[in-house]
Amino acid sequence: MISRKSIQTSLASAILLQTALLKHLSVPQRRLETVKLDKEDKISFAAYMTIFADTARIQIEAPHWGDAMEDNAVECDVADLVDGRMLKTVLHVINNGMLTDLIPGTIKDTFNMLSVGLHSLCGVKLQFGEKHHFATRLLAMAPTDYKGKDQDNLAVLPFSNPVFDKHLASIHLSIDSASTTIDRSFSATISREISHWHNAKRALDPKKTVSSRQAFSRRWNPLRSNQLYMAEMMGYAASLTNANGKVLEPETITVGARRLTEGPSTERKRETQKKTGKAIKPTKAQEIIAQHKARKDDLETPKTIARWQTMKQEFDKTIDPESRYLKANAYLNGLESTKGTLLFPDVIMYCMQALLTWWSVFCRAGQKQDGYHVAGLMWDAIRRAKSFKDGMTDATAVHIEKICTIMGLPKAASTLSQQDARPLSFSFEYPLLKTGTLSVDLLPHEFQLLHCGPYMDRNTDACPDPRVPSFEPDGWQRKVLDKLDANQSIFVVAPTSAGKTFISFYAMEKVLRADDDEVLVYVAPTKALVNQIAAEIQARFSKKYPHGGRSVWSIHTRDYRINNPAGCQILVTVPHILQIEQMLLAPSNANSWARRVKRIIFDEIHSIGQAEDGVVWEQLLLLAPCQIIALSATVGNPQQFSDWLVSTQQSAGFELSMIQHPYRYSDLRKFVYTPPKRFAFKRLGERGMQAGRLGLDGSKGLAFFHPVASLVKKSRGMPDDLTLEARDCLSLWTSMVKHGTAKFPVPEALSPKKALPPFIRKVDIFEWEKNLKKVLSTWMTQTDSPFDKVLDEVSKDLYDSQRDEIQVSGGPADMLTAHDSKVIDPDDLCATTLPMLARLNERNALPAILFNYGRLECERIARTVLEQLKAAEEDWKETSPEWKKLIDGWEKWKKMKSSKHNHKAPKAAQKKKTKTGDDGDDAGSKLDTLRDEASGEASFFDNFDPNEPREGFSFADQRKYQMSELREDFRRLERKGVETWLREALNRGIGVHHAGMNRKYRQIVEILFRKGYLRVVIATGTLSLGINMPCATVVFSGDSVFLTALNFRQAAGRAGRRGFDLLGNVVFQGISVDKACRLLSSRLPDLNGHFPITTTLVLRLFTLLHDSNNSPYARQVINSLLSQPRLYLGGDSFKDQVLHHLRFSIEYLRRQGLLGPKGEPLNFTSCISHLYFTENSSFAFHALLRDGYFHNLCADISTRRDSVLRTLMIVMAHLFGRRPCRSVQQEYIEEVVKRSPSVVFLPPMPVKAATVLQNHNKKTLAIFETYVKTFATQHVKEEEHQLPLTGVKVGGEMSQDMKEVLHALPATKARSAFVALSGHGDTFRSISDLCTTTRAGIFLEQAVIPHLELYPNETASPLNAYLYDFYMHGALDPLENANGIRKSDVWFLLNDFSLVLATIITSLANFMHLSADQDLDMTETVGGGDAEMIAEDESLATEATGSKEPQSKPKPKQPATTRKNILSEDWDADGEDLSSEDSSSDYDPERSAKSKLPFEAWSDDERGLMKVYKAFVMLKAEFDEKFLAIWA
């Protein structure tokens, strides 16, 4: 720049001096006063600096810059290249001649070094302190600068509580001298916690009785609803299967330990036998049992053999060897254990003979390559025989050895357990070939790796364990059992299908057997998983209790309950209910139910990483008063998470162990789908039996995706959970050997011959895979390695796939006309889904779940496939002679049926006449009727319905579900208002599943899918989280921002049905190969926690302590929480900060009038606590309620109703359900917004309300600003000198004071020193400013500070007016079109707001004691949409139970949407006669008139509060009326 004379030497000298200063000064020393330039100088200075910045950018982006940095190992400090404030200060100091004597020598030396370097480059020598022409002036210090003078004002209100004091003792704060005046201003009312379980309060307190009117009102009969839910749950339970694919059968539990067939003593005896060689002598009881069993077996043996002979004769009639094998194999798998032991040798050999015959067909045709799947089945049969422990015969061993010899398979006969010399029950025949052999013509290792991987023995150190007689647990599973038996906590990380399910049910059984009082709580992240777990408990366990009101299990969610939660032993619930409404923070349970809880199971524990409710999971783990079981398949940092769990459990006095198992039961094979160019759909093709043809290899349009092909970004490394099949390992090893070099060889020890045994097991593959990936990982890090060549080779199939010209389903291609096929847009999911499903159907790869993360897109795809099937069926009916013949036959049958009926009519009349006569014989008429019925022949048309989908135009498997049950399900769905097309889709085997669907519909989809009737389900992520809906194939249908590495692994885990599928398929449809590669190769995200001490939690802790009378449980919970060494997951020890934050949260609650000086909950505490799901909106609502805004607004509710409600709605829309408006173009506003009934942009909040909230925010800011400054003063001593993200150190460590030279300002204490470089001090403008600019070492999360940002002063984005708009016009389309709310989200958003209104109404009613004889149950409070669903369920229950009781749905204008209608509707009374508590009010009109103390909402005479209550009831009534109208 100097050479080009684009910058003055005087300015260049100042820049070099600035650079020298930046090198030596620390960051806090660089907080300088503002220097201003004159207007002209400011322009020229900006021009110079622009040139400088552009030149610097060019140099930094040049290739030689990076090379120079890397070669010379120079730390790049360009982040601190220019400090504009410092440069202007240097210019000012130069002008004032202050440099010569005051600048330290080290800085001068640095300047001279830079000047010499510059001179060597361009020949210009710069002078130190060279004069310049810029006119500068120094501005006065900002008055808002923090100098520490306001430390005297850092005072808090007095607070003392014996439980909290010991934890807060280390915090030293000044007490507000005016606090006594403030305390006297609180004419407060002690708040009572009125949340209790439905009926639990009465059950726990036998002194209180409930009238039958309360328990069984006409509006809500809990027993009737419970009967309906239980009936549904039993149907749900019947659809569940165990790990072997068999229906679950309930076990009756009795109190006492399980009687083990072999206990620890037997195991010890076996160990002794091994050492001594002496046999164990059985006990007398064992001898008697063995003799009895032997006699019984002797009697059954001839019958069993005879039945097998009969079945074999039937099998022999089947000529096709494939069909014969499938029938015999199905028979073998269905044998009971005793019969299986006897018949296994014969049946397995019969299967082998069928397979050998089948294999010979391929050998004769010279097509062995096409028949290797049959040879694989033979290998599997040999493996099964090899692993069979009892009942094998000498003849079996001889034949197996011969088969291995002639087929060239690894010898297995030497390891067979030979028991007796019993001959086979049939003559085993070996096929004869004229030419060729039956050998597989492959090396044994190669054959097993290529074709036998899915059949390999999966057991890893498995052996029998009497604790779980239903299966043989692996080593890691036995370790889990040992930890549970030792009453320890466990954290289990294992992939889907690995075998985690039994853990929860073993723990449940232990609790059920212990006694009738112990409780286990199962916490699930979704209500869908809650329903499934409860159904599985129903299917597994039954138990009889000596007293009524008890049950094995109960469900409790916000929507509904089944059974009594207080009377169950296994409570299945969601996190929010457990935390707020139930065990941990409900005072009513502190002295009773909470002490009975012995274990909590946290399923899908990785949900703690979610942004929305992850903090609730974290709080539950911190507050858990018992041992826990944490389960997950997808944790990115299991060791770190385990360390945190260990610390949380240790503080509660429990020991926790982590148990990891990295392997799935079945492998997943990935494919990328490429649609054809044209598609002709005639009907679904025939499903071949496809025995042994696993995966989708060879299917047109489906390209195999080798897992290693995903490693295109070498910098990411290889994720730990990237798994390879046996054949993947072989192809990888082959490619590595092919491309290996002298520098990068493949160790000979990795050769399959040396790395694997002759008969390969899955565990051998695991070890080989690990060693292969270890070498490959090393190659990935080296630029000159052959890794890229290996990658290209294994990716060949993926990138070479081409689109087929045409795909024809259900007919030959040469019979097509020009109009029969349609052009397929490869980017249109609706167009490509049916062609893909047709391919899957042909390969018998259904059932399938298609995951698409858009609700409307799921429905659109399903609807399109439905219409395509219907259209194809209509075309077929119009042209098919077969259909015409069928209809003609049906018409003739109807006429014949009708004529028979008419012919019988006179005879029936005659019989009726005879019956009334003297000689009539009723018995005779019945016999005649029976004779007539018997004479009629059964016809195909008896069950024929021409309107039902025909085979070939439906994915449904009609054999798997009774049509009568299906019709009953459809009737219920129709009553629930489920759309017709959804029911039609179900009828054709297609379901849709997402959170926006009706709950009953979703449940039926799950049942029908598990039963096998539905074979296609299109879903969002609702089915990926733990739901037991395994399938043969998972399809990722379309890309989405929600399709992350975590969601991919969770959803892909549904493929591969344990007990059904040896291999699962994963297909990418409409997703780029690059995205698919990222999904496979990305590591799972680390679980990072949230700051768990929220203001609402603090309030709930005090409520728990106070309302339980300082119960031991409450003290234990609080002490455990505050003693945690690491409350924050992912962070270091923040204990001091947590305690400081806690103290200032208490200070906030004190100043808001929600806590007293001793921690007693006051006034509207209950209302705010029950609005926990809206934090921080709940505290803004409280500020308006406390300061009397709502009282003033609602004073005229009787005279200005519409105006008051409209204003109230605007205020509530500002507080709750806040959604910022996205930025839009003016054209959109003109074309859409202004033409819509929606205003879209929420009108400004009323000035008075805004003033209250602004004052509230200012007070909150002052409180937490004090917290930050106090903590910084007492605990943060080190200077800030590292950039927060990169950790790069900035600046030097000069100790010499430069304040006089540079006009430096005092260093900040609370504000980040980097932010202070711009001149900011320790005074903050807003809470956002406080949270985002606080210095390092002080943790502050904006979400946990109770405030609400107001537009436009505190946030730049206006709010979406969707709630207000809906209240005004009550229409659905404008919300979607103008407000931009997704249609699938509307119901939930409106219902949430209705729930907020219901919570406020119920809380105010309880505060004013408006109920007739007891408080309203807050857990009964629901939104308007949920209330309507409850009413529908009760209507169905009434119909199902045959009750004559009249049912009434909740009317929109009822006072509150609860299940108890006990509030007065007499508005004219204005509350005068509604409460018997008026006389005890603290309100004193005379004192209030004279006093200058602030308005107190809680000490009002309740007339004003009654009007507030009345206004909210009216608002909810109007809102719900419109809400229910659009969903009617």
Side-chain angles (χ1 to χ4, degrees), residues 288-507:
I288 294 173
I289 293 172
Q291 292 171 1
H292 176 73
K293 183 177 182 298
R295 286 195 300 270
K296 186 177 180 181
D297 291 345
D298 289 341
L299 293 174
E300 288 293 326
T301 296
K303 298 178 182 178
T304 302
I305 294 176
R307 282 192 290 266
W308 157 237
Q309 290 292 346
T310 302
M311 293 301 302
K312 187 174 73 65
Q313 292 174 7
E314 290 296 319
F315 297 157
D316 289 340
K317 296 177 183 178
T318 304
I319 299 176
D320 178 42
E322 179 182 6
S323 301
R324 191 161 66 249
Y325 162 75
L326 288 172
K327 292 178 180 179
N329 190 57
Y331 175 76
L332 177 62
N333 293 334
L335 287 175
E336 298 176 3
S337 57
T338 304
K339 296 177 183 178
T341 301
L342 177 65
L343 297 179
F344 182 86
D346 274 27
V347 182
I348 195 69
M349 291 309 301
Y350 188 87
C351 291
M352 289 186 191
Q353 185 175 64
L355 289 171
L356 196 61
T357 304
W358 189 11
W359 168 245
S360 68
V361 174
F362 291 98
C363 295
R364 289 191 183 97
Q367 298 174 345
K368 291 183 179 181
Q369 186 69 33
D370 297 333
Y372 278 135
H373 62 285
V374 182
L377 289 173
M378 179 66 81
W379 185 91
D380 180 45
I382 294 172
R383 179 196 63 78
R384 293 166 67 185
K386 175 178 179 290
S387 61
F388 192 72
K389 297 179 179 178
D390 301 309
M392 294 304 295
T393 64
D394 292 338
T396 303
V398 170
H399 284 298
I400 290 177
E401 185 173 9
K402 185 175 180 179
I403 292 172
C404 291
T405 301
I406 64 176
M407 291 188 66
L409 301 179
K411 295 293 180 68
S414 60
T415 62
L416 292 173
S417 175
Q418 302 175 21
Q419 296 289 327
D420 56 52
R422 176 164 51 92
L424 290 177
S425 61
F426 63 96
S427 176
F428 194 96
E429 299 178 358
Y430 292 88
L432 298 177
L433 302 182
K434 293 182 179 179
T435 58
T437 66
L438 293 175
S439 173
V440 295
D441 297 339
L442 291 172
L443 295 174
H445 284 92
E446 184 182 7
F447 169 72
Q448 292 178 79
L449 292 172
L450 285 175
H451 305 292
C452 304
Y455 304 115
M456 291 176 180
D457 187 355
R458 289 166 167 77
N459 291 331
T460 55
D461 190 26
C463 67
D465 192 305
R467 294 172 291 184
V468 282
S470 59
F471 71 102
E472 294 186 1
D474 291 338
W476 72 274
Q477 293 172 318
R478 294 196 302 277
K479 185 177 180 182
V480 168
L481 294 174
D482 293 340
K483 297 297 181 182
L484 293 179
D485 288 343
N487 288 325
Q488 294 183 10
S489 295
I490 55 172
F491 169 41
V492 180
V493 183
T496 306
S497 85
K500 297 191 301 295
T501 303
F502 87 99
I503 300 172
S504 300
F505 296 106
Y506 182 77

Side-chain angles (χ1 to χ4, degrees), residues 1136-1154:
D1136 291 331
Q1137 295 187 51
V1138 166
L1139 294 178
H1140 269 76
H1141 193 283
L1142 169 65
R1143 181 61 186 87
F1144 281 92
S1145 294
I1146 294 172
E1147 174 69 6
Y1148 170 83
L1149 295 171
R1150 289 277 290 114
R1151 293 189 180 272
Q1152 288 297 308
L1154 293 169

Side-chain angles (χ1 to χ4, degrees), residues 746-778:
V746 180
E748 183 63 25
L750 291 182
S751 167
K753 291 183 179 180
K754 295 187 176 181
L756 301 171
F759 213 90
I760 306 173
R761 301 171 302 155
K762 199 72 174 176
V763 67
D764 303 319
I765 298 297
F766 293 154
E767 186 65 23
W768 190 37
E769 173 193 1
K770 182 177 71 173
N771 294 328
L772 283 171
K773 291 196 296 186
K774 185 177 180 180
V775 175
L776 188 66
S777 296
T778 303

Side-chain angles (χ1 to χ4, degrees), residues 631-768:
L631 304 173
S632 180
T634 49
V635 177
N637 53 337
Q639 189 59 56
Q640 182 186 7
F641 187 60
S642 175
D643 293 342
W644 180 75
L645 286 179
V646 167
S647 68
T648 62
Q649 283 286 285
Q650 283 179 346
S651 67
F654 307 117
E655 183 179 345
L656 182 138
S657 301
M658 178 175 69
I659 300 171
Q660 281 187 275
H661 180 69
Y663 309 116
R664 277 180 55 91
Y665 180 81
S666 56
D667 291 317
L668 297 178
R669 193 171 291 175
K670 290 87 176 176
F671 299 87
V672 174
Y673 176 66
T674 304
K677 294 180 180 179
R678 301 182 68 87
F679 176 58
F681 182 75
K682 293 296 185 180
R683 62 188 302 152
L684 292 174
E686 293 292 332
R687 283 189 286 157
M689 287 175 284
Q690 305 290 340
R693 292 188 182 274
L694 305 179
L696 300 171
D697 300 276
S699 295
K700 292 184 178 180
L702 289 161
F704 171 65
F705 190 167
H706 195 294
V708 172
S710 68
L711 303 177
V712 290
K713 295 290 184 182
K714 292 186 285 186
S715 59
R716 291 180 180 170
M718 186 183 300
D720 297 333
D721 61 344
L722 186 76
T723 57
L724 306 177
E725 286 186 69
R727 70 174 199 171
D728 297 338
C729 291
L730 178 62
S731 60
L732 175 61
W733 174 80
T734 303
S735 181
M736 291 174 68
V737 170
K738 176 181 177 181
H739 299 291
T741 63
K743 184 177 178 181
F744 296 97
V746 180
E748 183 63 25
L750 291 182
S751 167
K753 291 183 179 180
K754 295 187 176 181
L756 301 171
F759 213 90
I760 306 173
R761 301 171 302 155
K762 199 72 174 176
V763 67
D764 303 319
I765 298 297
F766 293 154
E767 186 65 23
W768 190 37

Side-chain angles (χ1 to χ4, degrees), residues 197 521-523 556 571 573-586 589 593 597 600-602 616 620 1113 1172:
W197 284 346
V521 181
Y522 191 104
V523 182
H556 188 190
L571 174 64
T573 187
V574 291
H576 287 87
I577 294 295
L578 176 60
Q579 181 215 35
I580 299 296
E581 307 292 358
Q582 292 302 325
M583 184 196 73
L584 298 183
L585 298 176
N589 298 322
W593 186 83
V597 177
I600 304 176
I601 299 176
F602 294 95
V616 179
L620 288 174
Y1113 166 75
Y1172 65 91

Side-chain angles (χ1 to χ4, degrees), residues 1111-1132:
S1111 68
Y1113 166 75
R1115 294 198 300 270
Q1116 174 194 349
V1117 166
I1118 294 170
N1119 289 332
S1120 174
L1121 176 66
L1122 299 182
S1123 299
Q1124 299 282 352
R1126 290 198 316 159
L1127 277 98
Y1128 177 58
L1129 169 62
D1132 298 325

